[in-house]
């Protein structure tokens, strides 16, 4: 049986919205199309929309749930521990980040004395967080150095 002529095979692929010459305008910016992208009949999986995007009734998976279901008892326990630990770390990180935002507001609109009081409270909070797995002690030290540098700049600006 003779092969079909090449020109007869061009055009849209049966049952799909992708033409013979596929452009990928909405592809991820870091994704590199394959070398034969201009002749590909079907778009590769990484360039096609995900199923949840095509069907609005299918919801995206919950990010709080584990990606794969654990089978062994130890794996299930590890998932429970990770959820608790993540919640505790997020609470600790949220605490000092909110305090830093308040300190930044004081740097902009408050007095030097108010900033010094807030900075001492921030030092304590950063040291407490650094004593836990949520933050490394060098990270806390770096935060403290940068926060004190902001206060020193405010002192210089207010004295001048």
């Amino acid at each position: 049986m003779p092969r079909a002529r090449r020109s007869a095979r061009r055009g849209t692929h049966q049952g799909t919205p992708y033409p013979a010459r596929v452009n990928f305008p909405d592809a991820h910016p870091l994704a590199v199309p394959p070398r034969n992208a201009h002749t590909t009949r079907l778009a590769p999986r990484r360039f096609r929309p995900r199923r949840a995007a095509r069907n609005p009734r299918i919801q995206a998976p919950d990010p709080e749930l584990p990606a794969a279901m654990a089978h062994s008892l130890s794996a299930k326990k590890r998932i429970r521990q990770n959820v608790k630990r993540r919640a505790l770390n997020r609470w600790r990180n949220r605490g000092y980040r909110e305090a830093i935002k308040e300190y930044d507001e004081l740097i902009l609109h408050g007095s030097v004395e108010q900033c010094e009081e807030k900075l001492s409270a921030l030092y304590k909070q950063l040291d407490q967080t650094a004593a836990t797995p949520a933050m490394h002690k060098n990270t806390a030290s770096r935060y403290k150095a940068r926060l004190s540098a902001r206060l020193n700049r405010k002192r210089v600006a207010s004295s001048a």
Side-chain angles (χ1 to χ4, degrees), residues 96 99-100 103 118-127 147:
Y96 76 80
I100 288 175
Y103 176 76
K118 185 68 177 176
L119 185 62
S120 65
L122 251 173
Y123 275 8
K124 179 181 177 183
Q125 192 168 9
L126 287 170
D127 288 334
L147 293 170

